[in-house]
Amino acid sequence: MSRPEFTCSVRVQYMAEESKPPAGPFTFSYTVTVRNTGDVTAQLVARRWLLSDAAGHTEEIRGLAVVGQQPVIKPGDQFEYKSHVRIDSPQGSMQGTYFCMTEDARPFEATVPLFVLARPESLH
């Protein structure tokens, strides 16, 4: 039987020009790469993010598509997109799940591992 699988990685950048230290908000851009590491073509349909700040506030964000797209990704190919987020503290984190569907209508999920949002000065 065929195996659907997407593997996700994230790169984060602090956006100083869009941020308002010391009180915030703090803006971070992030680039997500979704690679089809399975052996069937599949589509990324929807997303669910958990966004947490240093004060312990967690927000759930759900929706169809990513940056207005529902990409179909063939085995070995990847889809990359860039987005941004604002939080009220200089540090936080995000993690997520993509809801996906194979060409023959079998659903599966792809996990976006936890990644840190941190103003460079706040790490020292």
Side-chain angles (χ1 to χ4, degrees), residues 25-89:
F26 299 88
T27 303
F28 300 88
S29 70
Y30 58 94
T31 303
V32 179
T33 303
V34 181
R35 178 178 296 282
N36 185 336
T37 51
D39 56 12
V40 295
T41 298
Q43 184 172 24
L44 191 160
V45 178
R47 72 197 182 285
R48 175 180 176 256
W49 289 107
L50 293 176
L51 171 62
S52 301
D53 65 21
H57 175 259
T58 298
E59 179 181 355
E60 181 181 43
I61 304 160
R62 289 180 172 265
L64 289 173
V66 290
V67 293
Q69 298 181 58
Q70 293 181 318
V72 174
I73 310 170
K74 294 178 180 176
D77 286 353
Q78 67 182 33
F79 173 77
E80 188 172 275
Y81 72 94
K82 189 172 190 173
S83 191
H84 70 279
V85 65
R86 287 186 182 88
I87 58 175
D88 291 329
S89 62

Side-chain angles (χ1 to χ4, degrees), residues 1 4-5 9 16 27 29 39 47 65 80 101 106-108 113 116:
M1 185 169 174
E5 182 177 25
S9 61
T27 303
S29 70
D39 56 12
R47 72 197 182 285
E80 188 172 275
M101 187 75 66
R106 286 183 294 131
F108 68 100
V116 173

